[in-house]
Amino acid sequence: GLNTLILRVSNGYNTIVPMPERSKFSQNPVFNGLDVIETYQKACDQEGINLSLCFDVYYNENAQTAERNWITEPNGNVAGISNKYFSPGSVDFKAYYLEYIEYVIGRYDGITNIMFDYLRYPKFHEDCDIGYDYHTMQSFSEQEEVSLHDVQAIKAELFQSPLWSKWNKYR
């Protein structure tokens, strides 16, 4: 009764996709050049199973290997989330990410569906939050017509900030 297999593909760093030398992204060394998607694609075709790819958009365990201005910052030195999320406000990251998606989609013919995960800033709990990079705060400041200083205050005030609900809606 299995009719679809979903492979999770990172957003470029430590991906399962073999990447060309010039690429900003890289395949996870554990695969040693093996084309995982091609292997699954052949097996799925033989069994009549649809193959879908699920791409992480902003989360990546190895995001710290990227350009510094691609990374979004937490509201403090929070273990486990620092340097693991790309900024949705970074135009440079979006350009490289789009290039990566185009490369993967162009490489494989038998992919039935594409899914995207981590499309927005995650919310963890009351004292842990991310999105405090320059690109995001500047964009929010312009959209809401508030000073950058007021936006930076959200980082410390969180729920107490008068801008908190707008900040969460924005992200």
Side-chain angles (χ1 to χ4, degrees):
L2 180 68
N3 64 6
T4 301
L5 178 69
I6 302 171
L7 285 180
R8 187 167 191 174
V9 181
S10 81
N11 55 9
Y13 290 101
N14 272 338
T15 181
I16 62 174
V17 181
M19 298 301 295
E21 288 292 322
R22 73 188 192 312
S23 177
K24 188 81 169 169
F25 301 118
S26 61
Q27 184 184 42
N28 187 324
V30 74
F31 296 115
N32 199 28
L34 172 71
D35 194 330
V36 177
I37 297 174
E38 182 179 70
T39 302
Y40 273 92
Q41 186 174 338
K42 287 178 184 175
C44 286
D45 285 347
Q46 289 174 355
E47 298 298 323
I49 298 172
N50 295 321
L51 180 61
S52 298
L53 299 180
C54 180
F55 291 90
D56 289 338
V57 180
Y58 297 113
Y59 173 78
N60 189 294
E61 282 286 326
N62 300 94
Q64 73 278 358
T65 62
E67 303 292 327
R68 182 70 197 132
N69 67 344
W70 290 9
I71 307 297
T72 193
E73 298 174 17
N75 63 325
N77 190 9
V78 182
I81 68 167
S82 294
N83 299 322
K84 293 186 180 177
Y85 291 89
F86 293 111
S87 170
S90 173
V91 175
D92 292 338
F93 171 73
K94 287 179 184 179
Y96 273 105
Y97 185 71
L98 180 58
E99 180 181 309
Y100 170 68
I101 295 297
E102 289 173 345
Y103 173 76
V104 174
I105 291 171
R107 184 176 173 103
Y108 304 101
D109 296 329
I111 304 304
T112 308
N113 298 297
I114 301 289
M115 301 164 51
F116 295 97
D117 199 4
Y118 289 100
L119 282 170
R120 63 177 187 83
Y121 292 97
K123 169 69 176 75
F124 291 90
H125 53 76
E126 287 69 31
D127 60 348
C128 178
D129 191 34
I130 64 172
Y132 301 98
D133 58 277
Y134 173 78
H135 301 290
T136 302
M137 292 191 298
Q138 180 66 34
S139 176
F140 179 77
S141 170
E142 291 169 3
Q143 178 178 309
E144 295 298 323
E145 298 179 349
V146 296
S147 75
L148 192 53
H149 180 269
D150 288 341
V151 179
Q152 290 169 330
I154 299 170
K155 187 175 182 177
E157 297 171 4
L158 297 176
F159 295 104
Q160 307 305 316
S161 169
L163 296 171
W164 181 253
S165 62
K166 287 182 179 184
W167 174 248
N168 276 309
K169 186 177 180 181
Y170 170 80
R171 292 180 304 140

